[in-house]
Amino acid sequence: MLAVLPFQLLAIFFLWLLGFRRGGVERGSFAARHQSRNYQGYIPLKSLFSRFQSYSATHHAPVFHFHDFKEREEAPITTVLSWLVSLSAVFILGREWGLWDVRVAANKLM
């Protein structure tokens, strides 16, 4: 569920940019111009435009039900390994990008 959230938010934002709002198509937007040029008031059933309208009207914000998630106790080794891997990645990438060598970092900033 949480892995899908960024894609869901991206889709909602993209539709919002095109002009699809919760109350319908925004006047003067790209979606309104497309609707008036191609459909002229009649939106075919199951068309991409109708799906965008439906999605933007019903998915205006992601809904979470946190009571559905069960809290579970994580083993301390899991937390330690997670931190170890993260710090190792930062150290290795920092060394690769020259962040630990002051002269190389200064040259990259110039």
Side-chain angles (χ1 to χ4, degrees):
M1 171 76 176
L2 290 178
V4 177
L5 178 65
F7 298 110
Q8 190 177 24
L9 289 176
L10 187 62
I12 292 168
F13 182 67
F14 179 71
L15 290 176
W16 184 85
L17 286 177
L18 290 177
F20 294 97
R21 303 290 193 271
R22 185 174 187 197
V25 177
E26 180 76 19
R27 180 178 296 165
S29 66
F30 176 80
R33 287 191 300 277
H34 181 74
Q35 182 181 12
S36 67
R37 287 184 189 141
N38 297 325
Y39 298 118
Q40 300 168 350
Y42 173 73
I43 308 297
L45 191 64
K46 304 289 185 186
S47 67
L48 189 61
F49 194 88
S50 69
R51 289 174 196 247
F52 283 173
Q53 273 186 319
S54 174
Y55 190 81
S56 63
T58 57
H59 292 82
H60 53 89
V63 178
F64 291 112
H65 301 288
F66 287 106
H67 61 272
D68 292 342
F69 296 108
K70 295 179 182 175
E71 296 226 4
R72 63 174 197 242
E73 189 76 22
E74 289 189 13
I77 189 70
T78 307
T79 305
V80 170
L81 285 175
S82 173
W83 277 99
L84 183 64
V85 168
S86 299
L87 290 174
S88 299
V90 167
F91 178 74
I92 291 169
L93 290 175
R95 189 177 61 188
E96 181 68 28
W97 294 334
L99 298 178
W100 309 131
D101 188 1
V102 177
R103 291 171 296 194
V104 173
N107 287 336
K108 287 189 177 189
L109 291 175
M110 300 290 174

